[in-house]
Amino acid sequence: MIAGIKGGVCQSCAMPIYTADMYGTDLHGKKTEDYCIQCYRKGVFTDPDMDMFDMIDKSVAWIMNAGVYPEAHIRETLSEIIPRLKRWNIPVTTHYFN
Ligand SMILES: [Zn+2]
């Protein structure tokens, strides 16, 4: 799930988007294709001040709630995925996590 992410995954938080009403909305209330409703409503990010690291923490916490994977595994996976999403747009070749 790391390579070629687009469509079907929120480009801010990396959550899978399964149904049309999970998509965020633009200024005019139309559905956007890029972001989920948790991240983006009426053309603005619901939490515009958060940075990429905040988002990784938040997403780790969400997935931890499901109780399926250990935190280290979730964090490692999200640290690969989230920097490459459209909202954060970090070059793939850049290594931010040592
Ligand atoms: Zn989202």
Side-chain angles (χ1 to χ4, degrees):
M1 73 185 273
I2 291 172
I5 297 165
K6 56 186 171 199
V9 172
C10 174
Q11 294 295 303
S12 166
C13 70
M15 290 296 136
I17 299 174
Y18 302 113
T19 61
D21 49 325
M22 289 172 73
Y23 282 102
T25 51
D26 70 12
L27 258 183
H28 309 290
K30 269 184 63 182
K31 294 291 178 189
T32 73
E33 291 187 356
D34 290 331
Y35 304 113
C36 76
I37 192 72
Q38 303 298 330
C39 289
Y40 199 73
R41 277 175 222 172
K42 295 186 177 166
V44 291
F45 287 109
T46 55
D47 198 349
D49 295 329
M50 79 191 307
D51 65 18
M52 185 184 77
F53 298 98
D54 295 333
M55 181 58 83
I56 290 171
D57 287 344
K58 190 173 166 185
S59 295
V60 167
W62 281 345
I63 297 174
M64 287 282 289
N65 281 337
V68 180
Y69 302 106
E71 180 174 356
H73 173 81
I74 298 167
R75 189 168 287 279
E76 190 185 325
T77 303
L78 290 176
S79 297
E80 286 286 313
I81 295 172
I82 287 182
R84 299 173 195 186
L85 298 175
K86 190 172 178 178
R87 179 174 178 184
W88 315 111
N89 200 21
I90 309 285
V92 173
T93 50
T94 307
H95 203 295
Y96 275 79
F97 303 94
N98 293 308

